[in-house]
Amino acid sequence: ADRIRNYVSAGGGLIIFPGTDTDPSNYNARLLGPMSLPEIRGTTGGGDGESGLYFREIDFDHPLFSTIFEKTERAVDPRRLSPRIIRSLDLRPTPRSRSVITLSNGGGFFLEQPVGSGRVVLFSCAPILGWSDFPVKGLFAPLVYRTVAYLASGSDRLEQFTVGSTASITLRRPAALPQGTQYTLTIPGGTEEFITPLATGSGLRFATPVLTLP
């Protein structure tokens, strides 16, 4: 658990799927709680036939969905795109997490949260047929694939800063940089200026003076 936390804090990406033997108290105490991630409140669902949980809301503005859904699909009831979920962990968003897909009981199906310089994605449903038919839905493969690429790239992060404060962003260090690589910062007025990053253990840290423009 310590190695996982250190990896994510230094800029790594982590996907968490539950399993049939997941121990909620152990996850909460050793991994989720220390990382200030949404903790497992229990297990919900369980049933046959038409019972179970379904998608209530999908955040189509998330970068992951930029090419998965057609415009016509974004206008339909999320329930029509949902797998039939008969078992799920009860995960509730924290103030720092983003509920990308919300379930009919208000819990999260797909949650994302920054941790240090990295990001964590939590799925509340195990990818097995005993929990839902999600693994055989058309959404499963592209969503998992794009999530892996999204977390590995580190390039789709959206940072927010307040005018009057300084801005600092740490990006992963490329495997190889040409000699004399230079970076420029473009401010909202269109002016470009050179910026020199500070090399740290987690990557390249770019810092700016006090921000004067929104």
Side-chain angles (χ1 to χ4, degrees), residues 147-182:
T147 300
V148 172
Y150 171 69
L151 293 178
S153 68
S155 60
D156 290 315
R157 295 174 55 197
L158 299 177
E159 302 283 356
Q160 297 187 39
F161 304 99
T162 305
V163 172
S165 67
T166 59
S168 175
I169 298 177
T170 299
L171 302 178
R172 295 184 190 177
R173 185 198 304 268
L177 290 175
Q179 187 69 25
T181 297
Q182 293 183 320

Side-chain angles (χ1 to χ4, degrees), residues 58-69 74 98 100 110 112 119 121 142-143 145-147 149-151 153-159:
I58 300 175
D59 183 358
F60 290 111
D61 292 329
H62 195 281
L64 287 173
F65 297 137
S66 60
T67 59
I68 290 182
F69 294 107
R74 296 176 182 230
R98 179 176 183 176
V100 183
F110 179 114
E112 179 193 4
R119 287 171 295 176
V121 163
L143 181 58
Y145 174 82
R146 288 180 63 86
T147 300
Y150 171 69
L151 293 178
S153 68
S155 60
D156 290 315
R157 295 174 55 197
L158 299 177
E159 302 283 356

Side-chain angles (χ1 to χ4, degrees), residues 15-39:
I15 301 175
I16 298 177
F17 272 104
T20 54
D21 296 327
T22 296
D23 181 347
S25 61
N26 180 270
Y27 263 70
N28 290 340
R30 296 297 309 280
L31 188 65
L32 303 180
M35 296 174 76
S36 299
L37 292 168
E39 296 190 358

Side-chain angles (χ1 to χ4, degrees), residues 40-134:
I40 303 170
R41 298 187 177 188
T43 303
T44 61
D48 300 313
E50 296 299 323
S51 62
L53 303 173
Y54 53 88
F55 293 173
R56 187 180 71 186
E57 295 179 1
I58 300 175
D59 183 358
F60 290 111
D61 292 329
H62 195 281
L64 287 173
F65 297 137
S66 60
T67 59
I68 290 182
F69 294 107
E70 300 290 343
K71 290 183 179 180
T72 53
E73 292 178 304
R74 296 176 182 230
V76 305
D77 185 343
R79 185 167 183 169
R80 293 179 57 186
L81 304 174
S82 173
R84 187 173 68 87
I85 302 165
I86 59 177
R87 187 179 181 189
S88 174
L89 298 182
D90 188 4
L91 296 173
R92 303 288 167 158
T94 70
R96 299 187 66 240
S97 61
R98 179 176 183 176
S99 187
V100 183
I101 300 178
T102 305
L103 292 174
S104 51
N105 66 349
F109 177 83
F110 179 114
L111 296 170
E112 179 193 4
Q113 182 170 315
V115 175
S117 298
R119 287 171 295 176
V120 178
V121 163
L122 299 99
F123 285 89
S124 65
C125 191
I128 57 176
L129 296 179
W131 288 47
S132 76
D133 61 357
F134 181 44

Side-chain angles (χ1 to χ4, degrees), residues 192-203:
E192 291 187 351
E193 58 186 52
F194 289 110
I195 183 170
T196 302
L198 174 66
T200 69
S202 57

